[in-house]
Amino acid sequence: MTDEPAAGRAPKRLALNMKATPELRGRVEAAAKASGLSIAQEVERRLIASMAEDDRAGGLVQGDVLRTMQLIMNGANRALERDWWLDPDGWKIVAGALGNLLRHMEPDPVVKPEPFDAAIMAEHAERHREWMEAHVIPLRTRRNELTERRRERRRMKFTEADEAELASVVVQIRELMRSGGPKPALPPSELAQWEVQQRRQRQVQRAYEITVGYRAPFFGDNFESELSDGD
């Protein structure tokens, strides 16, 4: 026997026992009356909404961080009686508070790994440079040419074939960069360690590009969406 619901039937509902303060009970009753639901239905609706909010935020911890940031910013707005980002002192206060919040969450540093054989890595660096010049750089040059033509499409004709070529070039660059190119002639165990480090470096670089390059649109910036090749 399983708890799986039969086809066409609603899943089995289970009791969720809880106690609440008189104040919370009163608020839930008022909300249930306004929504036309029972108290149990209103509680369930709000729990689902709260969990969905955490999911959108990237999980419970990140959701709590974002809510705390919102409390900090809203508190500054109330105290200053204006938007904090329009007030020089307000900006400093909020920036400092947000920085302190994130510093409290800073993880332990990663232990620096032992260096690989210098001669092998020097030979690999030369092979990687040659690989980049032969395969990646020509594609990047062509990508930049097409991207510039697309920006100037009002004065220069940019056809559907050009758009398709640009998309294809971007995909080729992305695949080449993800492949990592030639590998160093290290022993198998060290090569596996090197590949883990390379993957980590690509993750960090991508995170840097996504986060540091982002600016909130409400500041009036005019952005043009560009194809990214992840390089």
Side-chain angles (χ1 to χ4, degrees):
M1 296 293 290
T2 67
D3 293 333
E4 293 295 325
R9 294 184 182 179
K12 182 179 179 181
R13 302 181 69 79
L14 304 175
L16 182 63
N17 297 323
M18 61 174 292
K19 293 184 178 181
T21 63
E23 179 186 2
L24 178 58
R25 168 85 185 194
R27 293 188 63 181
V28 173
E29 288 177 342
K33 183 177 180 180
S35 64
L37 300 173
S38 67
I39 292 178
Q41 289 171 329
E42 181 65 27
V43 170
E44 181 181 32
R45 181 178 74 86
R46 289 176 177 266
L47 282 174
I48 291 172
S50 175
M51 291 181 176
E53 182 180 347
D54 287 336
D55 291 341
R56 288 192 297 271
L60 179 60
V61 172
Q62 193 159 288
D64 285 343
V65 171
L66 293 175
R67 281 187 285 272
T68 302
M69 288 181 169
Q70 190 173 33
L71 288 172
I72 290 171
M73 292 183 285
N74 289 343
N77 289 345
R78 288 194 299 272
L80 297 166
E81 298 182 356
R82 65 183 304 193
D83 294 326
W84 60 267
W85 66 85
L86 299 177
D87 186 299
D89 293 322
W91 182 90
K92 292 178 182 178
I93 292 168
V94 171
L98 297 182
N100 288 335
L101 172 64
L102 295 178
R103 276 190 289 273
H104 281 302
M105 300 179 65
E106 184 175 3
D108 295 331
V110 177
V111 178
K112 188 175 181 180
E114 292 293 325
F116 300 109
D117 184 276
I120 292 177
M121 297 312 297
E123 185 269 342
H124 168 258
E126 179 62 22
R127 288 175 55 215
H128 190 270
R129 182 189 63 77
E130 294 173 351
W131 175 80
M132 290 286 292
E133 290 179 350
H135 301 285
V136 179
I137 292 178
L139 287 171
R140 285 181 175 174
T141 300
R142 182 57 178 162
R143 176 202 61 185
N144 294 342
E145 292 172 352
L146 291 168
T147 301
E148 186 61 30
R149 285 180 56 195
R150 189 176 63 173
R151 288 195 184 103
E152 302 294 331
R153 69 173 66 203
R154 292 181 181 177
R155 289 175 287 180
M156 303 175 66
K157 189 173 182 181
F158 195 79
T159 66
E160 291 184 3
D162 292 329
E163 194 73 57
E165 182 186 358
L166 176 58
S168 175
V169 167
V170 168
V171 170
Q172 291 178 66
I173 297 174
R174 183 182 296 125
E175 290 176 350
L176 285 169
M177 296 306 296
R178 286 177 178 172
S179 75
K183 295 178 172 59
L186 293 167
S189 61
E190 293 186 21
L191 180 60
Q193 182 183 353
W194 177 85
E195 289 176 334
V196 169
Q197 292 179 16
Q198 292 301 299
R199 182 172 182 271
R200 175 59 178 170
Q201 288 178 10
R202 289 193 294 270
Q203 290 174 334
V204 171
Q205 178 63 26
R206 184 59 178 159
Y208 179 86
E209 292 168 354
I210 292 173
T211 56
V212 176
Y214 177 79
R215 292 178 296 172
F218 56 74
F219 286 112
D221 297 314
N222 183 20
F223 297 109
E224 179 183 2
S225 178
E226 295 290 347
L227 290 168
S228 172
D229 57 30
D231 63 349

